[in-house]
Amino acid sequence: MGMGTEPDGSSRSDEEWERFLRESVAGVADAPKEPSARARDVAKRLRAEPGLGVEGWRGHTPARPKRRTGWYVVGLLASLVLLVPALAPGRTVDLFTGADSPPPAAETSRPTQAPPAEAARRPTMDEPFRGSPAASWASGAAGITVPKATAVGWMSAAEVELALARSRDFLVASGLDRGVLRGERPEKAITLINPHQKDVQDLLQAAFRTPSEKNDPLLLFSRFQPSRTRLVGDVVKTRGRLTYQEGKRGALQVTADVTFVYPVTRAGKGGDDEIVRTIVRRELVLSWDDPDKVITEPGTFSIVSYKYDVTNGGCGARTGYFTPPFGTDRPADETGKEIDPYDRSTPVGRGESSGEQCWRATRS
């Protein structure tokens, strides 16, 4: 095997120099300061071979390995993601579906206006909130804003924090629990209510036995009759907040104002997969009373007031369940006040015994 001697005393074989020259033009190897006579002979031989000469290598663009392709695609997508916020600050675009998805900031005070209108698009089984403001709302308890706790009345900051957490637990147990939504008795929620509050306990005893306008489970709980209505998917969209202040006799008074959006369809097989969104906005005022001044039990609250607005929840006789209208069930000539169920800038309009049977929704 022939060897060439370099100025620094090292030696290279013909094959090594040939490999070096090939790699150097591809940008792989570092060139030596000055080639030896042997290297010059090898270079001369390479120039003499068709398609493999030094000049040919310099003019040839090597094919990129296929395994790098994915990294170029990722880099391109990353560039697009960085470019979008620069062109449209505050707006996020789904690059794969092209749909706008600007999640609103957590609600910490009453909004000053209704959410903007959405493009008219029918909901689907895979996208039951499609075409509504709820599509960008948070899911479940995540959509209920809990404020920072400070000492109030008879409670320390830590006790207020615990009371706020349990207040939200009630909203979850009464409006998001899957069993309750399927018509089960809301036992977890009921255990959080002061058992010594006679008027509310009387309501609870009558509501599940003989529902009426005055004693209706829907005043406090969201329920659907499973033989008639089926929830679509596992997600309920929510938006709202808790606020608090000092109430009577130094109590912690918590106000909950939350909108729940329930996508439902007809139960059973053979349906047309028509999706209706039942939209319920609830306002509850809860009192965490000082046990030295009010008869109560640890970890429970008294209910000061409750009211709600509901659209697509059914009209007529009270059954203890929301009865969303499907197809021909929808009244041909609806009566009652017209409201935007997604507008949280106005107070909740329905009282405990207002006599209203239905609200007409401007959008659903």
Side-chain angles (χ1 to χ4, degrees):
M1 180 181 296
M3 302 290 290
T5 303
E6 296 300 315
D8 59 1
S10 63
S11 298
R12 296 177 185 265
S13 68
D14 291 350
E15 289 80 7
E16 288 174 331
W17 271 108
E18 182 175 344
R19 184 176 66 253
F20 161 73
L21 290 173
R22 293 180 188 274
E23 291 178 344
S24 65
V25 296
V28 176
D30 294 327
K33 295 178 180 179
E34 182 179 354
S36 66
R38 175 67 62 184
R40 290 193 293 271
D41 291 338
V42 174
K44 182 178 180 180
R45 181 166 55 84
L46 287 173
R47 283 194 295 267
E49 295 182 20
L52 295 178
V54 174
E55 297 301 324
W57 276 97
R58 289 173 179 170
H60 174 64
T61 302
R64 292 185 175 92
K66 292 184 178 180
R67 58 187 174 87
R68 294 186 179 182
T69 303
W71 291 105
Y72 294 125
V73 173
V74 170
L76 175 60
L77 291 177
S79 300
L80 290 175
V81 169
L82 293 173
L83 180 61
V84 168
L87 295 177
R91 185 178 183 183
T92 304
V93 177
D94 187 329
L95 295 176
F96 297 99
T97 64
D100 290 345
S101 54
E107 185 178 290
T108 57
S109 61
R110 177 171 289 175
T112 58
Q113 60 186 4
E118 300 287 322
R121 297 188 296 170
R122 291 176 60 86
T124 67
M125 298 299 287
D126 292 330
E127 297 181 82
F129 303 99
R130 188 170 180 254
S132 78
S136 63
W137 289 6
S139 303
I144 306 172
T145 305
V146 179
K148 182 179 179 181
T150 58
V152 171
W154 71 282
M155 284 187 165
S156 66
E159 290 169 326
V160 170
E161 183 177 16
L162 180 57
L164 290 171
R166 287 181 173 169
S167 298
R168 187 169 71 166
D169 288 345
F170 179 80
L171 297 172
V172 171
S174 61
L176 295 172
D177 183 274
R178 303 299 292 185
V180 175
L181 295 179
R182 289 191 293 264
E184 297 176 8
R185 185 179 174 88
E187 297 293 352
K188 292 181 181 179
I190 291 174
T191 60
L192 292 169
I193 302 173
N194 181 4
H196 303 287
Q197 189 179 7
K198 188 177 186 303
D199 57 341
V200 175
Q201 293 301 322
D202 289 345
L203 181 155
L204 294 174
Q205 290 178 15
F208 297 99
R209 184 176 61 251
T210 54
S212 64
E213 183 176 339
K214 183 179 180 181
N215 297 316
D216 188 349
L218 300 181
L219 295 170
L220 295 171
F221 314 106
S222 294
R223 306 168 76 229
F224 296 88
Q225 193 168 18
S227 62
R228 181 184 184 277
T229 307
R230 178 171 61 87
L231 290 162
V232 177
D234 298 322
V235 173
V236 173
K237 293 287 190 171
T238 60
R239 185 153 180 83
R241 66 193 183 279
L242 302 182
T243 57
Y244 65 93
Q245 62 183 16
E246 185 172 344
K248 294 181 179 179
R249 296 180 289 277
L252 170 69
Q253 182 172 294
V254 178
T255 299
D257 181 353
V258 180
T259 300
F260 302 80
V261 184
Y262 305 101
V264 294
T265 189
R266 233 186 270 265
K269 298 180 179 180
D272 57 2
D273 288 340
E274 177 188 3
I275 296 174
V276 170
R277 289 186 284 252
T278 297
I279 306 165
V280 184
R281 182 182 174 193
R282 296 189 182 277
E283 181 185 280
L284 294 169
V285 181
L286 315 176
S287 181
W288 292 87
D289 299 311
D290 184 346
D292 292 336
K293 298 177 181 179
V294 176
I295 299 175
T296 186
E297 295 295 328
T300 68
F301 55 76
S302 299
I303 297 179
V304 177
S305 65
Y306 45 85
K307 52 187 175 180
Y308 73 105
D309 292 335
V310 57
T311 56
N312 288 332
C315 302
R318 304 303 173 91
T319 64
Y321 304 100
F322 290 127
T323 55
F326 298 108
T328 57
D329 295 340
R330 190 176 298 276
D333 184 20
E334 291 181 315
T335 60
K337 184 179 179 180
E338 189 176 75
I339 66 169
D340 177 354
Y342 296 101
D343 184 1
R344 296 183 44 76
S345 66
T346 59
V348 179
R350 178 172 178 158
E352 174 190 351
S353 57
S354 64
E356 294 284 350
Q357 294 295 313
C358 273
W359 299 128
R360 288 188 298 147
T362 59
R363 56 176 169 171
S364 61

